[in-house]
Amino acid sequence: MKRTTGIPAFAQLMLATAAVFAVGIAGSYASAADNTPTAHSDSVGAAISDTDITAKVKLKLAGEKGLKKSDISVTTTNAVVTLTGKASSSDAKEEA
């Protein structure tokens, strides 16, 4: 028994492939528009070290009274720390 759907199997395959490709392209543009750093390390040892550095920086920032109303994210990649977010004042920005 032959099943007919109105669209040949090859055409369905091509449409599915085009849809997956389009989603991939859209995802690339969406991630390119987001300038937030993404943590990635070159090795397991670097990842552990980066995690440790991030934790220490966050702990230090949490202890600063002038930063209590600020929203600061910490990202560490291969021992390079990046701070992003909003500071509650220019003094808080300098303190961070």
Side-chain angles (χ1 to χ4, degrees):
M1 181 172 185
K2 191 174 184 180
R3 197 172 122 185
T4 58
T5 60
I7 300 175
F10 180 74
Q12 288 178 354
L13 178 63
M14 293 305 292
L15 286 171
T17 302
V20 169
F21 181 73
V23 169
I25 294 289
S28 295
Y29 282 113
S31 63
D34 182 15
N35 293 330
T36 305
T38 304
H40 65 281
S41 301
D42 293 337
S43 68
V44 173
I48 292 170
S49 178
D50 287 349
T51 301
D52 187 45
I53 292 168
T54 299
K56 288 178 182 178
V57 171
K58 285 182 176 183
L59 185 62
K60 179 72 174 168
L61 291 175
E64 298 295 327
K65 290 182 182 180
L67 300 176
K68 295 293 183 193
K69 295 180 182 178
S70 299
D71 180 23
I72 301 172
S73 297
V74 180
T75 305
T76 308
T77 303
N78 295 323
V80 176
V81 177
T82 305
L83 302 179
T84 56
K86 296 185 179 189
S88 58
S89 67
S90 59
D91 289 340
K93 183 177 178 180
E94 285 296 318
E95 191 172 348

